[in-house]
Amino acid sequence: MKSILVFLIICFLQLQVSAQLSGTYTIGGSQPDFRYLSEAASALVTQGVSGPVTMNIRNGVYWGFKLGYIKNASALYPVVFQAESGNRDSVIVRGKGFLEDDALIYMKFANNINIRNITIDHIDGGTFAKGNSVQAVQCYSCKLDSC
């Protein structure tokens, strides 16, 4: 009996389940859900989604990010990255890009992603976004500087 209890405790301690994301989250600013775009992207890839997800990006300048496959992202459960203020000049994604095609936003196997009301500023004049095996990725009211 004691060995069964020890076995169950060990199994329970090793089980680390993260809830899938659903709803609205904040990035940056005061007391955010995620400090950086890359942190939010990592949570999406690691945890997946169980409903529509909106990432409200607070005013500021951010570095680009990589986004991979997001479990359950679909037309029914889209993922939106948008300026919380709705003003595309208030959120700037800036940098020199990643090794993959020199893109500021690099997506691989990412689907049903909407990017809204942000400015994308590639310091070296490279590509603002690139993808590999992506579907239904859209950009609305974005401003491209130096791209």
Side-chain angles (χ1 to χ4, degrees):
M1 179 69 169
K2 194 174 187 181
S3 61
I4 292 174
L5 183 58
V6 170
F7 174 76
L8 290 175
I9 290 172
I10 291 171
C11 288
F12 181 76
L13 291 175
Q14 290 180 349
L15 181 64
Q16 295 179 3
V17 178
S18 296
Q20 292 180 321
L21 300 177
S22 181
T24 302
Y25 300 89
T26 56
I27 300 171
S30 178
Q31 298 181 337
D33 297 301
F34 304 100
R35 290 179 55 197
Y36 308 106
L37 288 166
S38 58
E39 186 180 354
S42 178
L44 285 162
V45 170
T46 303
Q47 297 172 230
V49 299
S50 61
V53 172
T54 299
M55 295 288 181
N56 283 327
I57 309 167
R58 295 187 172 150
N59 294 356
V61 178
Y62 300 86
W63 291 103
F65 62 97
K66 295 180 183 183
L67 191 60
Y69 172 75
I70 301 170
K71 184 178 180 182
N72 297 328
S74 65
L76 192 60
Y77 297 156
V79 175
V80 176
F81 288 89
Q82 66 183 11
E84 184 176 53
S85 67
N87 178 356
R88 69 182 180 190
D89 292 321
S90 68
V91 173
I92 300 170
V93 177
R94 178 175 287 152
K96 293 185 177 189
F98 296 103
L99 295 176
E100 296 89 350
D101 296 316
D102 197 32
L104 270 180
I105 302 172
Y106 184 78
M107 296 179 225
K108 188 170 187 175
F109 302 110
N111 298 314
N112 298 283
I113 309 297
N114 296 317
I115 300 171
R116 298 181 182 154
N117 299 315
I118 64 172
T119 294
I120 300 170
D121 183 11
H122 197 299
I123 293 172
D124 290 336
T127 306
F128 86 93
K130 284 271 183 162
N132 181 0
S133 300
V134 298
Q135 295 179 350
V137 174
Q138 300 174 336
C139 193
Y140 300 98
S141 297
C142 293
K143 179 178 171 184
L144 306 179
D145 281 346
S146 305
C147 295

